[in-house]
Amino acid sequence: MAAIVGLGLTEVGKVYGKTSFDFAAEAVRAAAEDAGLTLADLDGLLINPGMAKPGLDLSLARRLGLRDLRLLTQMTAFGASAGVMVAMAAQAVESGAAEAVACVFADTPRSASSSGADAYRATSLQARGFRSAETAAGLLSTTHRYALAADRYMSTYGVTHDELGAVATSQRRWAAMNPVAAVRTPLDLDAYHASRWVVEPLHLLDCCLVSNGGAAVIVTSSQRARDLRQPPVHVRGWGQGHPLPPLRADSTFGLSTGAKASGRAALAMAGLGIDEMQLREIYDCYTYTVLVTLEDYGVCKPGEAGALAASGAFGPGGVLPTNTGGGQLSSFYLWGMTPLHEAVTQVRGQAGERQVSEHDTAIVSGNGGILEHHSTLILTSEVAA
Amino acid sequence: MTGRADIGARRDEASGEWFDGLAEGRLLLRSCPHGHASRPEVLACDVCGSADLGWTPAEGRGTVVALATDHSGGVATLLGIIELVEGPWLITRIEGRPLARGEAAVVRVVFPVEGEPYPVVTAAD
């Protein structure tokens, strides 16, 4: 089995004057240091570039001074990338193809003059061909498409804005206890409702932050992990799901995601049930994705996660601690590294004031594209239950 | 038209015939020998997987499946997923009076000053 033994996070958020390469190098060095390893101990590097151009590429390895690597590639499944990278690293370690693999993401979508939403919008605006007709008609960004997904989900199941808002307020309560969270001020439902529409039905406070920064993890064998500096976080299971339903009559678009197949596969590999997960670190590019992902993972039935959110189940003191660092909504947005970073921190027992008392098992999600790509990791403090 | 939707549609190698159809006022769909219709970008029929794809004009009628409203710039732009009677979804702007989910819509082609023509929908009545 493989384990995550190193965790590196740069300063994140409104951090300017550094390139994605600077952030990535800093994150990999920090992760190695955290593990008690040197860069010379690494024989694998998996690189996930973000949205800003120029983004990370294979030259990162040479520029970092890594030598004689046995595994090196640049990969993306967009928001699902972190889980995909860790799974690939785990497979490499388990097969003997590599011994210690760094997985890194870094991005610089923000600038002093741009919120970063522009970096994401630019991708739509540069569209050519069929998709450019949708852009011309007003589908200007990812958020426009997620708004349609959320509308379908909300109207089908009767999910309310109070319920979406409960995701945002629960996570803000966690963020208040997270020193690296960008937004720690209290948030109530009134403030949530008062936040402007970005694209209705999504308020500003339904949408994640946009952050500059980098994060990395180091994966090695569970056996070797025992001799390293940090409590090992074992990679017990992983899965992917890319359902890609045709956009036509009877499509499940908005109602169900790749989390269903991905979660099922990851839990089966781990030999654990969803009810045995003590932590849920869920990709929350929007409040809505938390709800639909938890439903697809089997935490509750379709359409019921909103009521759970409103009951307080996901927040501090709740029965289903979820996005315990504040998530992408309130802490920072480094794609799938956000939920992964929090899961590793919690499973290690290093989450300080926000530490969840039972923290031996975590399910971690990644969601990429417009609900098109999904990855899941099952992380545990022990090799076997 | 909205001020913000002046991002011109641009053809590429794959979409030339489709934009030509729009220029003639027709929304084209991909069609396979079994009579299934798919969205224009597919490389295989959505229903049966056939790679033998031609073009067929859509009737230009459908039903609203989902809605979103862009409020930026002080203008409310209504966007929707419209299920065409042939089955494929058209994702575009709803012009004229607002439509509700489940309401009928008809396709209309917009000819902007810059860029290629593109489809929008309006109320069927």
Side-chain angles (χ1 to χ4, degrees), chain A residues 125-130 132-140 144 147-148 151-152 155 197-201 246-249 251 253, chain B residues 5 7 9-10 12 14-15 18-19 37 39-41 46-47 65-71 79 81 83 87-89 91-93 101 118:
Chain A
L125 302 190
Q126 288 157 8
R128 293 280 192 285
F130 303 112
S132 72
E134 294 180 353
T135 308
L139 276 295
L140 296 173
H144 291 72
L148 289 167
D151 178 74
R152 189 167 198 230
S155 62
W197 293 119
V198 177
V199 183
E200 189 181 351
L247 296 173
R248 62 180 299 117
S251 172
F253 176 75
Chain B
I7 314 295
R10 286 163 289 191
D12 58 9
S15 59
W18 187 71
F19 280 115
R39 278 168 56 91
E41 73 273 14
D46 270 346
V47 178
V65 171
L67 295 166
T69 308
D70 182 337
H71 291 272
L79 305 164
I81 296 174
E83 187 167 309
W89 284 0
I91 304 176
T92 191
R93 186 169 74 241
R101 290 177 218 94
Y118 60 87

Short mmCIF file of all heavy atoms in Angstrom, two decimals, chain A residues 125-130 132-140 144 147-148 151-152 155 197-201 246-249 251 253, chain B residues 5 7 9-10 12 14-15 18-19 37 39-41 46-47 65-71 79 81 83 87-89 91-93 101 118:
data_model
loop_
_atom_site.label_atom_id
_atom_site.label_comp_id
_atom_site.label_asym_id
_atom_site.label_seq_id
_atom_site.Cartn_x
_atom_site.Cartn_y
_atom_site.Cartn_z
N LEU A 125 -14.07 32.53 -23.72
CA LEU A 125 -14.07 33.57 -24.74
C LEU A 125 -13.17 33.22 -25.91
O LEU A 125 -13.33 33.76 -26.99
CB LEU A 125 -13.66 34.91 -24.12
CG LEU A 125 -14.54 35.39 -22.96
CD1 LEU A 125 -14.20 36.82 -22.58
CD2 LEU A 125 -16.02 35.29 -23.30
N GLN A 126 -12.21 32.33 -25.67
CA GLN A 126 -11.30 31.95 -26.75
C GLN A 126 -11.85 30.78 -27.57
O GLN A 126 -11.20 30.30 -28.49
CB GLN A 126 -9.93 31.57 -26.18
CG GLN A 126 -9.16 32.79 -25.68
CD GLN A 126 -8.10 32.43 -24.65
OE1 GLN A 126 -7.85 31.26 -24.41
NE2 GLN A 126 -7.51 33.44 -24.04
N ALA A 127 -13.07 30.35 -27.23
CA ALA A 127 -13.64 29.19 -27.93
C ALA A 127 -13.79 29.46 -29.42
O ALA A 127 -14.04 30.58 -29.85
CB ALA A 127 -14.99 28.84 -27.32
N ARG A 128 -13.59 28.41 -30.19
CA ARG A 128 -13.83 28.45 -31.63
C ARG A 128 -14.85 27.35 -31.93
O ARG A 128 -15.01 26.42 -31.18
CB ARG A 128 -12.55 28.15 -32.42
CG ARG A 128 -11.46 29.19 -32.31
CD ARG A 128 -11.74 30.36 -33.24
NE ARG A 128 -10.60 31.25 -33.39
CZ ARG A 128 -10.19 32.10 -32.47
NH1 ARG A 128 -10.82 32.18 -31.31
NH2 ARG A 128 -9.15 32.89 -32.70
N GLY A 129 -15.51 27.46 -33.07
CA GLY A 129 -16.36 26.37 -33.52
C GLY A 129 -17.71 26.35 -32.81
O GLY A 129 -18.22 27.38 -32.39
N PHE A 130 -18.26 25.13 -32.66
CA PHE A 130 -19.62 24.98 -32.14
C PHE A 130 -19.79 25.70 -30.80
O PHE A 130 -20.78 26.38 -30.56
CB PHE A 130 -19.95 23.50 -31.95
CG PHE A 130 -19.81 22.68 -33.19
CD1 PHE A 130 -18.82 21.72 -33.30
CD2 PHE A 130 -20.68 22.87 -34.26
CE1 PHE A 130 -18.70 20.96 -34.46
CE2 PHE A 130 -20.56 22.11 -35.42
CZ PHE A 130 -19.57 21.16 -35.52
N SER A 132 -18.33 28.18 -29.58
CA SER A 132 -18.30 29.64 -29.61
C SER A 132 -19.69 30.21 -29.86
O SER A 132 -19.97 31.37 -29.53
CB SER A 132 -17.31 30.14 -30.67
OG SER A 132 -17.79 29.92 -31.97
N ALA A 133 -20.60 29.41 -30.45
CA ALA A 133 -21.98 29.88 -30.63
C ALA A 133 -22.66 30.02 -29.27
O ALA A 133 -23.45 30.94 -29.05
CB ALA A 133 -22.75 28.92 -31.53
N GLU A 134 -22.34 29.08 -28.35
CA GLU A 134 -22.92 29.18 -27.01
C GLU A 134 -22.34 30.37 -26.26
O GLU A 134 -23.05 31.08 -25.54
CB GLU A 134 -22.67 27.87 -26.24
CG GLU A 134 -23.41 26.68 -26.84
CD GLU A 134 -23.19 25.37 -26.11
OE1 GLU A 134 -22.34 25.32 -25.19
OE2 GLU A 134 -23.85 24.39 -26.47
N THR A 135 -21.05 30.58 -26.43
CA THR A 135 -20.42 31.74 -25.79
C THR A 135 -21.05 33.03 -26.30
O THR A 135 -21.39 33.94 -25.53
CB THR A 135 -18.91 31.76 -26.06
OG1 THR A 135 -18.36 30.49 -25.69
CG2 THR A 135 -18.22 32.84 -25.25
N ALA A 136 -21.21 33.11 -27.62
CA ALA A 136 -21.78 34.32 -28.23
C ALA A 136 -23.20 34.57 -27.70
O ALA A 136 -23.62 35.71 -27.53
CB ALA A 136 -21.80 34.19 -29.74
N ALA A 137 -23.91 33.48 -27.41
CA ALA A 137 -25.28 33.61 -26.92
C ALA A 137 -25.32 34.03 -25.45
O ALA A 137 -26.39 34.38 -24.95
CB ALA A 137 -26.02 32.29 -27.11
N GLY A 138 -24.19 33.97 -24.76
CA GLY A 138 -24.17 34.43 -23.36
C GLY A 138 -23.65 33.43 -22.35
O GLY A 138 -23.57 33.72 -21.17
N LEU A 139 -23.27 32.23 -22.80
CA LEU A 139 -22.68 31.23 -21.89
C LEU A 139 -21.21 31.58 -21.75
O LEU A 139 -20.33 30.96 -22.35
CB LEU A 139 -22.84 29.82 -22.47
CG LEU A 139 -24.15 29.07 -22.23
CD1 LEU A 139 -24.36 28.76 -20.76
CD2 LEU A 139 -25.35 29.76 -22.80
N LEU A 140 -20.95 32.60 -20.94
CA LEU A 140 -19.64 33.24 -20.96
C LEU A 140 -18.60 32.56 -20.07
O LEU A 140 -17.43 32.90 -20.15
CB LEU A 140 -19.79 34.71 -20.54
CG LEU A 140 -20.63 35.57 -21.48
CD1 LEU A 140 -20.85 36.95 -20.89
CD2 LEU A 140 -19.95 35.69 -22.84
N HIS A 144 -21.69 29.96 -15.66
CA HIS A 144 -22.97 29.95 -16.38
C HIS A 144 -23.47 28.51 -16.54
O HIS A 144 -24.66 28.23 -16.40
CB HIS A 144 -22.82 30.60 -17.75
CG HIS A 144 -22.57 32.08 -17.70
ND1 HIS A 144 -21.38 32.62 -17.28
CD2 HIS A 144 -23.38 33.13 -18.00
CE1 HIS A 144 -21.46 33.94 -17.34
NE2 HIS A 144 -22.66 34.28 -17.77
N ALA A 147 -24.52 27.04 -13.25
CA ALA A 147 -25.81 27.61 -12.84
C ALA A 147 -26.96 26.81 -13.46
O ALA A 147 -27.97 26.56 -12.80
CB ALA A 147 -25.88 29.08 -13.26
N LEU A 148 -26.80 26.40 -14.71
CA LEU A 148 -27.83 25.57 -15.34
C LEU A 148 -27.94 24.21 -14.65
O LEU A 148 -29.03 23.70 -14.43
CB LEU A 148 -27.51 25.39 -16.83
CG LEU A 148 -27.71 26.65 -17.70
CD1 LEU A 148 -27.05 26.46 -19.08
CD2 LEU A 148 -29.19 26.97 -17.87
N ASP A 151 -29.65 24.76 -11.33
CA ASP A 151 -31.08 25.02 -11.52
C ASP A 151 -31.83 23.72 -11.75
O ASP A 151 -32.91 23.49 -11.20
CB ASP A 151 -31.30 25.96 -12.70
CG ASP A 151 -32.79 26.22 -12.94
OD1 ASP A 151 -33.38 26.97 -12.13
OD2 ASP A 151 -33.35 25.66 -13.89
N ARG A 152 -31.25 22.85 -12.56
CA ARG A 152 -31.92 21.58 -12.83
C ARG A 152 -32.03 20.76 -11.54
O ARG A 152 -33.07 20.17 -11.24
CB ARG A 152 -31.16 20.79 -13.89
CG ARG A 152 -31.93 19.57 -14.36
CD ARG A 152 -31.36 18.96 -15.61
NE ARG A 152 -32.33 18.10 -16.24
CZ ARG A 152 -32.07 16.86 -16.63
NH1 ARG A 152 -30.87 16.35 -16.46
NH2 ARG A 152 -33.01 16.13 -17.20
N SER A 155 -34.53 22.51 -9.03
CA SER A 155 -35.94 22.44 -9.44
C SER A 155 -36.45 21.00 -9.43
O SER A 155 -37.62 20.75 -9.15
CB SER A 155 -36.13 23.07 -10.82
OG SER A 155 -35.39 22.37 -11.79
N TRP A 197 -26.00 38.10 -7.16
CA TRP A 197 -26.02 36.98 -8.09
C TRP A 197 -24.75 37.04 -8.93
O TRP A 197 -24.38 38.12 -9.40
CB TRP A 197 -27.20 37.07 -9.06
CG TRP A 197 -28.56 36.92 -8.46
CD1 TRP A 197 -29.57 37.83 -8.48
CD2 TRP A 197 -29.11 35.76 -7.82
NE1 TRP A 197 -30.69 37.33 -7.86
CE2 TRP A 197 -30.43 36.05 -7.46
CE3 TRP A 197 -28.58 34.50 -7.50
CZ2 TRP A 197 -31.26 35.15 -6.79
CZ3 TRP A 197 -29.40 33.59 -6.84
CH2 TRP A 197 -30.72 33.91 -6.49
N VAL A 198 -24.13 35.91 -9.16
CA VAL A 198 -23.13 35.82 -10.22
C VAL A 198 -23.89 35.40 -11.47
O VAL A 198 -24.04 36.17 -12.41
CB VAL A 198 -21.99 34.86 -9.86
CG1 VAL A 198 -21.01 34.74 -11.00
CG2 VAL A 198 -21.29 35.35 -8.61
N VAL A 199 -24.39 34.19 -11.46
CA VAL A 199 -25.37 33.77 -12.45
C VAL A 199 -26.45 33.04 -11.65
O VAL A 199 -26.19 31.99 -11.07
CB VAL A 199 -24.76 32.84 -13.52
CG1 VAL A 199 -25.82 32.49 -14.57
CG2 VAL A 199 -23.56 33.48 -14.20
N GLU A 200 -27.62 33.60 -11.58
CA GLU A 200 -28.72 33.00 -10.83
C GLU A 200 -29.00 31.59 -11.37
O GLU A 200 -29.05 31.44 -12.60
CB GLU A 200 -29.97 33.89 -11.00
CG GLU A 200 -31.12 33.51 -10.11
CD GLU A 200 -32.33 34.42 -10.35
OE1 GLU A 200 -32.19 35.43 -11.08
OE2 GLU A 200 -33.39 34.10 -9.83
N PRO A 201 -29.11 30.58 -10.56
CA PRO A 201 -29.33 30.58 -9.11
C PRO A 201 -28.08 30.60 -8.24
O PRO A 201 -28.18 30.23 -7.06
CB PRO A 201 -30.08 29.26 -8.91
CG PRO A 201 -29.49 28.34 -9.93
CD PRO A 201 -29.20 29.22 -11.12
N PRO A 246 -24.72 12.13 -22.71
CA PRO A 246 -25.01 12.97 -23.86
C PRO A 246 -25.94 14.11 -23.44
O PRO A 246 -26.81 13.92 -22.59
CB PRO A 246 -25.74 12.03 -24.83
CG PRO A 246 -25.59 10.67 -24.30
CD PRO A 246 -25.19 10.75 -22.87
N LEU A 247 -25.72 15.28 -24.01
CA LEU A 247 -26.56 16.43 -23.68
C LEU A 247 -27.83 16.34 -24.52
O LEU A 247 -27.92 16.90 -25.60
CB LEU A 247 -25.79 17.73 -23.92
CG LEU A 247 -24.57 17.90 -23.02
CD1 LEU A 247 -23.77 19.12 -23.42
CD2 LEU A 247 -24.97 17.97 -21.55
N ARG A 248 -28.79 15.59 -23.99
CA ARG A 248 -30.02 15.34 -24.72
C ARG A 248 -31.08 14.80 -23.76
O ARG A 248 -30.81 14.65 -22.57
CB ARG A 248 -29.79 14.33 -25.85
CG ARG A 248 -29.33 12.96 -25.34
CD ARG A 248 -29.10 11.96 -26.47
NE ARG A 248 -30.31 11.73 -27.22
CZ ARG A 248 -30.45 12.04 -28.53
NH1 ARG A 248 -29.47 12.56 -29.21
NH2 ARG A 248 -31.59 11.81 -29.16
N ALA A 249 -32.23 14.50 -24.31
CA ALA A 249 -33.33 13.95 -23.52
C ALA A 249 -32.83 12.84 -22.59
O ALA A 249 -32.02 12.02 -23.00
CB ALA A 249 -34.40 13.41 -24.46
N SER A 251 -30.86 13.03 -20.13
CA SER A 251 -29.53 13.22 -19.57
C SER A 251 -29.62 13.38 -18.06
O SER A 251 -30.57 13.97 -17.54
CB SER A 251 -28.89 14.48 -20.17
OG SER A 251 -27.68 14.77 -19.50
N PHE A 253 -27.49 15.18 -16.53
CA PHE A 253 -26.74 16.41 -16.28
C PHE A 253 -27.35 17.19 -15.11
O PHE A 253 -28.53 17.50 -15.10
CB PHE A 253 -26.75 17.29 -17.53
CG PHE A 253 -26.10 18.63 -17.34
CD1 PHE A 253 -24.72 18.75 -17.29
CD2 PHE A 253 -26.87 19.78 -17.19
CE1 PHE A 253 -24.11 19.99 -17.10
CE2 PHE A 253 -26.28 21.02 -17.01
CZ PHE A 253 -24.90 21.13 -16.96
N ALA B 5 -23.07 40.10 -24.93
CA ALA B 5 -23.06 38.90 -25.77
C ALA B 5 -22.49 39.21 -27.15
O ALA B 5 -22.86 38.61 -28.14
CB ALA B 5 -24.46 38.33 -25.88
N ILE B 7 -19.49 38.78 -28.02
CA ILE B 7 -18.34 37.95 -28.29
C ILE B 7 -18.70 37.15 -29.53
O ILE B 7 -19.59 36.32 -29.50
CB ILE B 7 -18.09 36.96 -27.13
CG1 ILE B 7 -18.17 37.67 -25.78
CG2 ILE B 7 -16.81 36.20 -27.33
CD1 ILE B 7 -17.13 38.68 -25.53
N ALA B 9 -19.19 34.54 -32.45
CA ALA B 9 -18.99 33.12 -32.72
C ALA B 9 -18.01 33.01 -33.89
O ALA B 9 -18.06 33.82 -34.82
CB ALA B 9 -20.31 32.45 -33.08
N ARG B 10 -17.13 32.02 -33.82
CA ARG B 10 -16.12 31.89 -34.86
C ARG B 10 -16.07 30.45 -35.35
O ARG B 10 -15.99 29.54 -34.55
CB ARG B 10 -14.75 32.31 -34.31
CG ARG B 10 -14.61 33.82 -34.16
CD ARG B 10 -13.47 34.18 -33.25
NE ARG B 10 -13.77 33.85 -31.86
CZ ARG B 10 -13.04 34.25 -30.83
NH1 ARG B 10 -11.95 34.96 -31.02
NH2 ARG B 10 -13.39 33.94 -29.60
N ASP B 12 -14.61 27.03 -37.12
CA ASP B 12 -13.34 26.33 -37.29
C ASP B 12 -13.58 25.26 -38.35
O ASP B 12 -14.66 25.22 -38.97
CB ASP B 12 -12.82 25.75 -35.97
CG ASP B 12 -13.80 24.78 -35.32
OD1 ASP B 12 -14.81 24.41 -35.98
OD2 ASP B 12 -13.57 24.39 -34.17
N ALA B 14 -14.21 22.16 -38.23
CA ALA B 14 -15.29 21.19 -38.00
C ALA B 14 -16.68 21.81 -38.13
O ALA B 14 -17.64 21.10 -38.42
CB ALA B 14 -15.12 20.58 -36.61
N SER B 15 -16.78 23.11 -37.92
CA SER B 15 -18.11 23.70 -37.76
C SER B 15 -18.57 24.51 -38.97
O SER B 15 -19.63 25.13 -38.93
CB SER B 15 -18.12 24.60 -36.52
OG SER B 15 -17.13 25.63 -36.63
N TRP B 18 -22.04 23.75 -40.34
CA TRP B 18 -23.07 24.08 -39.35
C TRP B 18 -23.35 25.59 -39.36
O TRP B 18 -24.51 26.02 -39.37
CB TRP B 18 -22.60 23.63 -37.95
CG TRP B 18 -23.63 23.76 -36.89
CD1 TRP B 18 -24.77 23.01 -36.74
CD2 TRP B 18 -23.61 24.69 -35.80
NE1 TRP B 18 -25.45 23.42 -35.62
CE2 TRP B 18 -24.77 24.46 -35.02
CE3 TRP B 18 -22.74 25.70 -35.40
CZ2 TRP B 18 -25.06 25.19 -33.87
CZ3 TRP B 18 -23.03 26.42 -34.26
CH2 TRP B 18 -24.18 26.17 -33.50
N PHE B 19 -22.28 26.38 -39.40
CA PHE B 19 -22.47 27.84 -39.46
C PHE B 19 -23.08 28.24 -40.81
O PHE B 19 -23.87 29.18 -40.88
CB PHE B 19 -21.15 28.57 -39.20
CG PHE B 19 -20.81 28.67 -37.73
CD1 PHE B 19 -19.68 28.03 -37.22
CD2 PHE B 19 -21.59 29.41 -36.86
CE1 PHE B 19 -19.36 28.12 -35.88
CE2 PHE B 19 -21.27 29.51 -35.51
CZ PHE B 19 -20.15 28.86 -35.01
N ALA B 37 -30.88 11.90 -33.95
CA ALA B 37 -30.27 13.23 -34.05
C ALA B 37 -29.37 13.47 -32.85
O ALA B 37 -29.68 13.05 -31.74
CB ALA B 37 -31.36 14.30 -34.10
N ARG B 39 -26.21 16.38 -31.07
CA ARG B 39 -25.67 17.74 -31.12
C ARG B 39 -24.59 17.82 -32.20
O ARG B 39 -23.98 16.82 -32.56
CB ARG B 39 -25.09 18.12 -29.73
CG ARG B 39 -26.15 18.60 -28.75
CD ARG B 39 -25.62 18.69 -27.34
NE ARG B 39 -24.44 19.53 -27.21
CZ ARG B 39 -24.47 20.84 -26.93
NH1 ARG B 39 -25.61 21.48 -26.76
NH2 ARG B 39 -23.34 21.50 -26.80
N PRO B 40 -24.33 19.04 -32.70
CA PRO B 40 -23.46 19.16 -33.88
C PRO B 40 -22.01 18.74 -33.65
O PRO B 40 -21.34 18.34 -34.59
CB PRO B 40 -23.56 20.65 -34.23
CG PRO B 40 -24.04 21.33 -33.00
CD PRO B 40 -24.92 20.33 -32.30
N GLU B 41 -21.52 18.80 -32.39
CA GLU B 41 -20.09 18.54 -32.19
C GLU B 41 -19.74 17.06 -32.09
O GLU B 41 -18.56 16.70 -32.05
CB GLU B 41 -19.60 19.26 -30.93
CG GLU B 41 -20.03 18.67 -29.60
CD GLU B 41 -21.39 19.18 -29.12
OE1 GLU B 41 -22.13 19.79 -29.92
OE2 GLU B 41 -21.71 18.97 -27.93
N ASP B 46 -25.11 9.98 -30.57
CA ASP B 46 -25.38 9.89 -29.14
C ASP B 46 -26.19 8.65 -28.76
O ASP B 46 -26.12 8.17 -27.64
CB ASP B 46 -26.23 11.10 -28.71
CG ASP B 46 -25.37 12.28 -28.28
OD1 ASP B 46 -24.17 12.10 -28.06
OD2 ASP B 46 -25.94 13.38 -28.16
N VAL B 47 -26.97 8.17 -29.69
CA VAL B 47 -27.91 7.09 -29.37
C VAL B 47 -27.33 5.72 -29.71
O VAL B 47 -27.37 4.81 -28.90
CB VAL B 47 -29.26 7.30 -30.10
CG1 VAL B 47 -30.24 6.16 -29.79
CG2 VAL B 47 -29.87 8.65 -29.72
N VAL B 65 -35.65 23.07 -20.26
CA VAL B 65 -35.30 22.08 -19.24
C VAL B 65 -34.74 22.76 -17.99
O VAL B 65 -35.03 22.37 -16.86
CB VAL B 65 -34.24 21.09 -19.79
CG1 VAL B 65 -33.69 20.19 -18.70
CG2 VAL B 65 -34.84 20.25 -20.92
N ALA B 66 -33.89 23.76 -18.17
CA ALA B 66 -33.26 24.45 -17.04
C ALA B 66 -32.98 25.89 -17.42
O ALA B 66 -32.85 26.21 -18.62
CB ALA B 66 -31.97 23.74 -16.64
N LEU B 67 -32.87 26.74 -16.40
CA LEU B 67 -32.72 28.18 -16.61
C LEU B 67 -31.58 28.74 -15.77
O LEU B 67 -31.27 28.21 -14.70
CB LEU B 67 -34.01 28.91 -16.19
CG LEU B 67 -35.26 28.59 -17.01
CD1 LEU B 67 -36.50 29.11 -16.29
CD2 LEU B 67 -35.15 29.21 -18.40
N ALA B 68 -30.98 29.80 -16.25
CA ALA B 68 -30.00 30.55 -15.46
C ALA B 68 -30.08 32.00 -15.93
O ALA B 68 -30.37 32.25 -17.10
CB ALA B 68 -28.60 30.00 -15.67
N THR B 69 -29.82 32.91 -15.00
CA THR B 69 -29.89 34.32 -15.37
C THR B 69 -28.58 35.02 -15.01
O THR B 69 -28.17 35.02 -13.86
CB THR B 69 -31.05 35.03 -14.63
OG1 THR B 69 -32.24 34.29 -14.84
CG2 THR B 69 -31.23 36.45 -15.14
N ASP B 70 -27.97 35.59 -16.03
CA ASP B 70 -26.75 36.37 -15.83
C ASP B 70 -27.17 37.81 -15.53
O ASP B 70 -27.82 38.45 -16.36
CB ASP B 70 -25.91 36.30 -17.11
CG ASP B 70 -24.59 37.05 -16.98
OD1 ASP B 70 -24.49 37.95 -16.12
OD2 ASP B 70 -23.66 36.73 -17.74
N HIS B 71 -26.83 38.29 -14.32
CA HIS B 71 -27.25 39.64 -13.92
C HIS B 71 -26.14 40.67 -14.09
O HIS B 71 -26.30 41.81 -13.66
CB HIS B 71 -27.67 39.63 -12.44
CG HIS B 71 -28.94 38.89 -12.19
ND1 HIS B 71 -30.18 39.47 -12.27
CD2 HIS B 71 -29.17 37.59 -11.87
CE1 HIS B 71 -31.12 38.57 -12.00
NE2 HIS B 71 -30.53 37.42 -11.75
N LEU B 79 -30.73 32.54 -19.76
CA LEU B 79 -30.10 31.45 -20.50
C LEU B 79 -30.84 30.16 -20.19
O LEU B 79 -31.42 30.03 -19.11
CB LEU B 79 -28.63 31.31 -20.09
CG LEU B 79 -27.80 32.59 -20.24
CD1 LEU B 79 -26.50 32.48 -19.47
CD2 LEU B 79 -27.54 32.88 -21.71
N ILE B 81 -31.34 25.63 -21.03
CA ILE B 81 -31.17 24.37 -21.76
C ILE B 81 -32.52 24.09 -22.40
O ILE B 81 -33.54 24.04 -21.71
CB ILE B 81 -30.78 23.22 -20.82
CG1 ILE B 81 -29.42 23.46 -20.18
CG2 ILE B 81 -30.80 21.89 -21.58
CD1 ILE B 81 -29.05 22.42 -19.12
N GLU B 83 -34.59 21.41 -24.70
CA GLU B 83 -34.58 20.08 -25.31
C GLU B 83 -35.35 20.16 -26.63
O GLU B 83 -36.56 20.36 -26.64
CB GLU B 83 -35.22 19.06 -24.37
CG GLU B 83 -35.09 17.64 -24.86
CD GLU B 83 -35.44 16.66 -23.76
OE1 GLU B 83 -34.90 16.77 -22.65
OE2 GLU B 83 -36.28 15.79 -24.02
N GLY B 87 -34.55 15.62 -29.66
CA GLY B 87 -33.84 15.01 -28.54
C GLY B 87 -32.65 15.79 -28.02
O GLY B 87 -32.50 15.98 -26.82
N PRO B 88 -31.74 16.26 -28.90
CA PRO B 88 -30.55 16.98 -28.40
C PRO B 88 -30.91 18.27 -27.67
O PRO B 88 -31.96 18.87 -27.95
CB PRO B 88 -29.77 17.28 -29.68
CG PRO B 88 -30.21 16.25 -30.66
CD PRO B 88 -31.65 16.00 -30.35
N TRP B 89 -30.03 18.67 -26.77
CA TRP B 89 -30.20 19.92 -26.03
C TRP B 89 -29.51 21.06 -26.77
O TRP B 89 -28.36 20.92 -27.23
CB TRP B 89 -29.56 19.81 -24.65
CG TRP B 89 -30.38 19.02 -23.67
CD1 TRP B 89 -31.59 18.42 -23.89
CD2 TRP B 89 -30.02 18.73 -22.32
NE1 TRP B 89 -32.00 17.77 -22.75
CE2 TRP B 89 -31.06 17.95 -21.77
CE3 TRP B 89 -28.93 19.04 -21.52
CZ2 TRP B 89 -31.04 17.49 -20.44
CZ3 TRP B 89 -28.89 18.59 -20.21
CH2 TRP B 89 -29.95 17.83 -19.68
N ILE B 91 -28.20 24.81 -25.87
CA ILE B 91 -27.91 25.64 -24.70
C ILE B 91 -27.65 27.05 -25.21
O ILE B 91 -26.67 27.29 -25.93
CB ILE B 91 -26.69 25.09 -23.92
CG1 ILE B 91 -26.96 23.64 -23.52
CG2 ILE B 91 -26.42 25.94 -22.68
CD1 ILE B 91 -25.79 22.95 -22.84
N THR B 92 -28.54 27.96 -24.86
CA THR B 92 -28.45 29.28 -25.47
C THR B 92 -29.24 30.33 -24.69
O THR B 92 -29.78 30.06 -23.62
CB THR B 92 -28.93 29.22 -26.94
OG1 THR B 92 -28.59 30.44 -27.59
CG2 THR B 92 -30.42 28.97 -27.04
N ARG B 93 -29.32 31.51 -25.28
CA ARG B 93 -30.04 32.63 -24.67
C ARG B 93 -31.52 32.56 -25.02
O ARG B 93 -31.89 32.14 -26.11
CB ARG B 93 -29.44 33.94 -25.19
CG ARG B 93 -29.96 35.20 -24.55
CD ARG B 93 -29.12 36.40 -24.94
NE ARG B 93 -29.33 36.86 -26.30
CZ ARG B 93 -28.39 36.90 -27.25
NH1 ARG B 93 -27.16 36.50 -26.98
NH2 ARG B 93 -28.67 37.34 -28.45
N ARG B 101 -39.49 26.75 -16.95
CA ARG B 101 -39.17 25.35 -17.24
C ARG B 101 -40.43 24.65 -17.73
O ARG B 101 -41.51 24.84 -17.17
CB ARG B 101 -38.66 24.65 -15.99
CG ARG B 101 -37.30 25.11 -15.55
CD ARG B 101 -36.89 24.42 -14.24
NE ARG B 101 -36.19 25.38 -13.41
CZ ARG B 101 -36.78 26.12 -12.49
NH1 ARG B 101 -38.07 25.98 -12.24
NH2 ARG B 101 -36.08 26.99 -11.79
N TYR B 118 -25.77 32.68 -34.84
CA TYR B 118 -25.91 31.63 -33.82
C TYR B 118 -27.37 31.52 -33.41
O TYR B 118 -28.14 32.48 -33.59
CB TYR B 118 -25.00 31.91 -32.61
CG TYR B 118 -25.26 33.21 -31.90
CD1 TYR B 118 -26.21 33.29 -30.88
CD2 TYR B 118 -24.56 34.37 -32.23
CE1 TYR B 118 -26.45 34.50 -30.23
CE2 TYR B 118 -24.78 35.56 -31.57
CZ TYR B 118 -25.73 35.62 -30.57
OH TYR B 118 -25.97 36.81 -29.93
#
